DNA sequence: CTGAAAGCGCTAACAA
DNA sequence: TTGTTAGCGCTTTCAG
């Protein structure tokens, strides 16, 4: 591959001029532009980003750290981030942390060595010290990792309130809340939203804590259905809602006639289940795109107008609830 | 951040010696090793991969090009690739091509500028010329892009045969085959496998071509169910199978009592549907891991023992079929 | 076994 | 407006 010197030679100018041309910096005569453009074209020249990075100490890589891309929550996020990154000339590095602190720290180190321009992190380590002394811009997504780090998420509390209220409006009076792992920010917020909705309403509630896992959810709900009688379930994820649907099916309980269910997340899964799952949808794409935009502003040294942004959730009514009048 | 010169100075040796130490190259006295190790430790030194890349013209980035990471087929693949990449010291760059040739070409160019060590491509452009003159190792996954490019996929034909045969074994005699887009390698192969299974067996078959899209599948199947009478469906993806399940539900047709369905892919979706979807599972993780291993061998300049590998598919029997004796 | 020095390709003063 | 040149941090001959 041709390098900048070849281009300079071919165009009969110095490398400095070529560099200026490439970066639109400083004055260049029209004539110079012309010859350089021609040389670039002829040699099919493409500047080495590596050399540029070494020289400027900047790069066009963005590191995305997620627990596991296989979790259906993350691909859409990643997609959005990738889209805006691409638009701004950045490329995305994908890292799966498995919620493993050591792995995460390792990644941060590795990417630092590779001069990443910034990080977008969906992680939940409270002791996020390894991000602090980094002097690389960071944006936290979905989960707040530190007060000093800009953060963007869905308004989980309000979303859960809306979802639960829908259950109430649909006639449920005896509700099971499948809350997510306590200590996990979004799970706690959703649980709070659930409580907001039922408080003082003379509703009988049952609370279980259930990880975001299909099989476990199915098992837990199967057991619950034998023990108590309920007419509604608020699950704090689509996956656990799907587990609940299966448990109901096995128990011969008809959804939504005997039991109504609302999920949370608005993933594809919810729309592809039979019957279609009513769910509180997060605008994942918007969330990812916004995070990417924030990060890029940070990278460019701009001040953020908002350091914490909450994106509203939206109720998607489908067939697991019967919205009565 | 400290650089190699700082380390050399602190250790009282030359940078060359430090470099040798870092790369385990050439002879170094035990004494030198000791002092350098100490200096590295004290300065918390981490070599700059960028500088190293510039010098060696190699990098530790692997580019993964997929149509869309949101398609549930790809995350698991990406995960596997990332896992082995990480194990070998590489990091993964994620690229969504949207099946758009221009976008794909652009990515290839961009990553070339960033000195990627190799590509893993899941794409289906027959005119894959832009990959040819690249002198960067490439491995194709799921879809064959060129005879000169190593390729790894599931044995789709055999998988489809097994899935269809299961329908036959379960008593179906009147089968709808929802084949994928013709011209697409895997879709064609699966269709061929379906035909292999039914040929000469006095089975009534109906063939429709259906993109891998839930809503479209649902609509098409709804229509079919009104027109003809069938007792089995072979869908060539889980998503379309899910659409078929929903169509059956709307039509009041019981699955599996009146209609049996088998999907293809073995995604999470299949296991989370109610009833659980019988499906032909691809070992996506294995496929991805193997692709990554092949690529890394290529990067290291080794010869591949096999340039084309087919991974067997496995039938996962769940509740949408009634395996009779 | 070790060190000096010449690059890798590009950017950014500084001079002209 | 343009060119010269000194780095960026590391690798790699080539002498010693």
């Amino acid at each position: 591959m041709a390098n900048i010197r070849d281009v300079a030679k071919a165009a009969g100018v110095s490398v400095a001029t070529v560099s200026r041309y490439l970066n639109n910096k400083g004055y260049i005569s029209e004539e110079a532009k012309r010859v350089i453009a021609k040389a670039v074209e002829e040699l099919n020249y493409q500047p080495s980003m590596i050399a540029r990075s070494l020289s400027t100490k900047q790069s066009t890589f963005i590191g995305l750290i997620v627990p596991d891309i296989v979790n259906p929550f993350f691909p859409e996020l990643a997609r959005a981030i990738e889209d805006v990154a691409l638009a701004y000339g950045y490329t995305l590095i994908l890292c799966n942390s498995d919620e493993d602190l050591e792995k995460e720290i390792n990644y941060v180190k590795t990417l630092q060595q590779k001069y990443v321009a910034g990080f977008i992190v969906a992680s939940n380590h409270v002791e996020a010290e390894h991000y602090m002394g980094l002097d690389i811009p960071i944006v936290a997504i979905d989960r707040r990792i530190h007060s000093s780090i800009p953060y963007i998420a869905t308004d989980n509390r309000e979303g859960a309130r809306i979802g639960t209220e829908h259950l109430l409006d649909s006639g449920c009076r005896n509700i099971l809340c499948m809350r997510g792992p306590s200590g996990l920010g979004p799970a706690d917020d959703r649980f709070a939203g659930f409580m907001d909705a039922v408080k003082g309403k003379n509703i009988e509630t049952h609370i279980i804590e259930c990880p975001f896992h299909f099989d476990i959810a199915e098992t837990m709900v199967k057991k619950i259905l034998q023990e108590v009688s309920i007419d509604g379930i608020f699950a704090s994820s689509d996956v656990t809602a799907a587990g609940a649907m299966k448990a109901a099916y096995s128990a011969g309980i008809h959804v939504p006639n005997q039991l109504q269910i609302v999920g949370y997340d608005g993933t594809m899964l919810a729309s592809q289940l039979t019957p279609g799952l009513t769910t509180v949808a997060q605008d994942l794409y918007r969330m990812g795109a916004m995070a990417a935009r924030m990060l890029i502003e940070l990278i460019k040294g701009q001040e953020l107008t908002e350091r914490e942004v909450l994106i509203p959730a939206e109720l998607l009514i489908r067939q697991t609830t019967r919205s009565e009048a």
Side-chain angles (χ1 to χ4, degrees), chain A:
Chain A
M1 286 232 327
N3 65 27
I4 198 174
R5 220 156 28 218
D6 300 328
V7 175
K9 199 175 303 171
V13 298
S14 74
V15 294
T17 306
V18 177
S19 176
R20 281 188 210 101
Y21 167 81
L22 260 21
N23 301 290
N24 299 310
K25 263 184 191 166
Y27 293 99
I28 311 176
S29 64
E30 289 305 318
E31 171 60 11
K33 281 186 191 167
R34 220 181 40 71
V35 281
I36 295 174
K38 184 153 159 289
V40 165
E41 175 67 24
E42 277 173 359
L43 278 67
N44 188 15
Y45 168 70
Q46 294 172 220
S48 155
M49 299 312 275
I50 297 289
R52 184 174 287 174
S53 282
L54 182 59
S55 187
T56 60
K57 286 173 167 303
Q58 293 187 15
S59 91
T60 51
F61 289 113
I62 288 178
L64 171 63
I65 301 185
V66 298
D68 186 358
I69 190 71
V70 170
N71 178 331
F73 178 82
F74 296 110
E76 195 165 342
L77 221 48
R79 181 48 144 104
I81 294 170
E82 205 264 323
D83 281 353
V84 349
L86 182 63
Y88 286 90
Y90 292 85
T91 64
L92 225 215
I93 298 179
L94 178 66
C95 311
N96 296 103
S97 72
D98 287 322
E99 306 276 15
D100 176 342
L101 181 59
E102 196 183 346
K103 217 173 154 190
E104 197 171 316
I105 292 177
N106 258 323
Y107 255 126
V108 172
K109 260 195 212 150
T110 306
L111 295 196
Q112 215 184 164
Q113 289 182 53
K114 299 189 181 185
Y115 288 37
V116 280
F119 285 104
I120 294 180
V121 182
S123 172
N124 55 351
H125 296 297
V126 192
E127 359 86 52
E129 314 249 326
H130 54 295
Y131 288 118
M132 303 315 306
L134 226 52
D135 100 301
I136 294 179
I138 299 175
V139 170
I141 209 166
D142 190 39
R143 312 163 190 196
R144 182 183 277 106
I145 57 181
H146 191 281
S147 59
S148 72
I149 295 178
Y151 156 80
I152 176 165
T154 297
D155 189 342
N156 285 301
R157 183 160 182 169
E158 178 62 8
R161 197 189 60 71
I162 292 171
T164 308
E165 215 123 79
H166 173 65
L167 239 25
L168 266 30
D169 292 345
S170 305
C172 298
R173 290 296 171 266
N174 206 323
I175 301 180
L176 168 67
C177 173
M178 304 171 67
R179 57 153 302 158
S182 77
L184 190 64
D188 288 341
D189 292 345
R190 289 174 202 174
F191 179 54
F194 171 81
M195 293 308 283
D196 289 346
V198 296
K199 191 166 37 185
K201 291 245 182 63
N202 193 29
I203 300 296
E204 188 164 332
T205 62
H206 306 267
I207 318 287
I208 61 174
E209 182 171 328
C210 175
F212 297 129
H213 190 290
F214 181 84
D215 292 324
I216 299 177
E218 181 188 358
T219 309
M220 291 181 91
V221 174
K222 242 181 198 151
K223 187 149 163 289
I224 293 278
L225 290 175
Q226 291 172 206
E227 293 168 355
V228 300
S229 143
I230 54 177
D231 58 8
I233 296 182
F234 174 73
S236 56
S237 78
D238 288 340
V239 177
T240 45
M245 283 171 70
K246 186 147 191 183
Y249 178 84
S250 310
I253 296 177
H254 188 274
V255 176
N257 291 344
Q258 297 168 268
L259 176 65
Q260 301 186 63
I261 301 179
V262 355
Y264 203 108
D265 281 342
T267 53
M268 280 289 165
L269 173 63
S271 68
Q272 299 179 349
L273 290 167
T274 300
L277 177 64
T278 293
T279 186
V280 179
Q282 307 196 56
D283 195 338
L284 260 23
Y285 192 91
R286 184 164 155 212
M287 189 158 133
M290 195 164 279
R293 262 185 244 111
M294 283 168 71
L295 182 65
I296 290 172
E297 283 182 27
L298 247 24
I299 290 172
K300 296 197 169 158
Q302 300 166 17
E303 275 302 313
L304 254 33
T305 48
E306 290 183 290
R307 295 186 61 84
E308 305 234 331
V309 1
L310 284 188
I311 296 180
E314 183 192 4
L315 181 66
L316 258 35
I317 299 176
R318 289 200 269 246
Q319 293 85 47
T320 55
T321 52
R322 334 175 292 255
S323 33
E324 301 175 348

